[in-house]
Amino acid sequence: MSAPARNLTLPGDPPGGRRAVTVWSIGVAVYFVAVIFRTSLGVAGLDAADRFHVNASALSTFSILQLLVYAGMQIPVGLLVDRLGTKRVLSIGAVLFTAGQLGFAFSPSYGTALASRALLGCGDAMTFISVLRLGTRWFPARRGPLVAQLAGLVGMGGNLVSTLVLARLLHGIGWTPAFAGSALAGVVVLVLTLLFLKDHPEGYEPEPAPHQGAAYVRRQIAAAWREPGTRLGLWVHFTTQFPAMVFLLLWGLPFLVQAQGLGRATAGELLTLVVLSNMVIGLVYGQIIARHHAARLPLALGTVGATALLWASTLLYPGAHAPMWLLVVLCTVLGACGPASMIGFDFARPANPPERQGTASGITNMGGFIASMTTLFAIGVLLDATGDDYAVAFSAVFVLQALGVSQILRLRGRAARRERERLVASRVETVHVPA
């Protein structure tokens, strides 16, 4: 566990290079657009409440349903990526999330808007796992942590676009033109994927694996779940991602405007700060983990601790509103949640062979979205029950963090031992590969 990640050299490692960057960039562009569509409700939450005449619980249902579909699709998507390849799955995803965004633009009622967000969530679910798989197929293993963090960084760029651009379009040209116009980006990335994306470099085709229906599915899921690294990855993702996801996806703007008395413009700047912080910290975390594999767990747990401390300080501040400097620090620390959640994949990746990477990544990726969905629902219910008491509602964050940390501490020893065993075995295999 203490060996630097750069010493990881596995048999059959792809070479990387410019061609890899080009192909990977197309896949990341699809993910970038999916994140724009996913987070578009975060800047339109108050507008959606007015447009569809719904309360806090009903408003949270938009994001809950979207995340429910997303989380429920993760294992099926992982299996599809392992079986069909990245290009096909990304193409299907682009069609679905574009249709969902377009449907949301023209939805005349709450029910049709819900259906559109569910469709969007289904397409969105197919993007990130595919991009992770693309990275493992085109780049050497030692680049894995940095490539994954860069993918997450580009995704946060999509969040930045929704915060800065879509928010202005929404209040400038109106609901339908803003959402329908943004759907054109989905068409662009679909065309790029169909024309230029390749699943793997020439000469690095994966070994053909037998697919035997339900039996194959059960074996893939069971084998990935048996690995302690997969389960640890899930709980790291669960514990780290959701505070920022909940804040950006729906409840950040209402909290800053209604509970903290800020104007929409100032609240939007703080949401932007979360995204910018995420992008900077993502680069830092990726470089640290690429050089020092043992830093993974301290970084993840340190992020959880800092997030809990800043939320507690903000919610328990004795004045009517928290001071601006505290809100700035809170939003800066929330920016570390996304990069910390990517560490979960750095536990699952070395625990599973290439033919199981999609399935293992799908299991890991469920964690944060299950936590986000649970917290979104809890906050909405608590707001309605307490008359919009945000201090009580956001206390749900601490409950899920405590659950996640307990599971991380329970699994860390087993995952470390198993990873050392696989690393030794891979080095022995490398030694015996004919020159």
Side-chain angles (χ1 to χ4, degrees), residues 9 127 147 198 295 315:
T9 304
T127 59
V147 168
K198 302 292 184 184
L315 297 176

Side-chain angles (χ1 to χ4, degrees), residues 243-320:
M245 176 70 72
V246 167
F247 197 79
L248 290 171
L249 199 60
L250 183 61
W251 291 122
L253 188 68
F255 169 76
L256 294 171
V257 173
Q258 296 175 350
Q260 299 302 319
L262 302 179
R264 283 197 180 205
T266 304
E269 290 171 359
L270 287 173
L271 293 179
T272 303
L273 175 61
V274 177
V275 177
L276 293 174
S277 173
N278 182 297
M279 297 173 76
V280 173
I281 294 173
L283 287 175
V284 174
Y285 277 19
Q287 292 286 355
I288 291 173
I289 295 170
R291 289 170 169 77
H292 308 285
H293 232 41
R296 291 173 299 173
L297 206 54
L299 284 176
L301 293 175
T303 301
V304 174
T307 305
L309 176 63
L310 266 298
W311 261 123
S313 300
T314 302
L315 297 176
L316 297 176
Y317 191 80

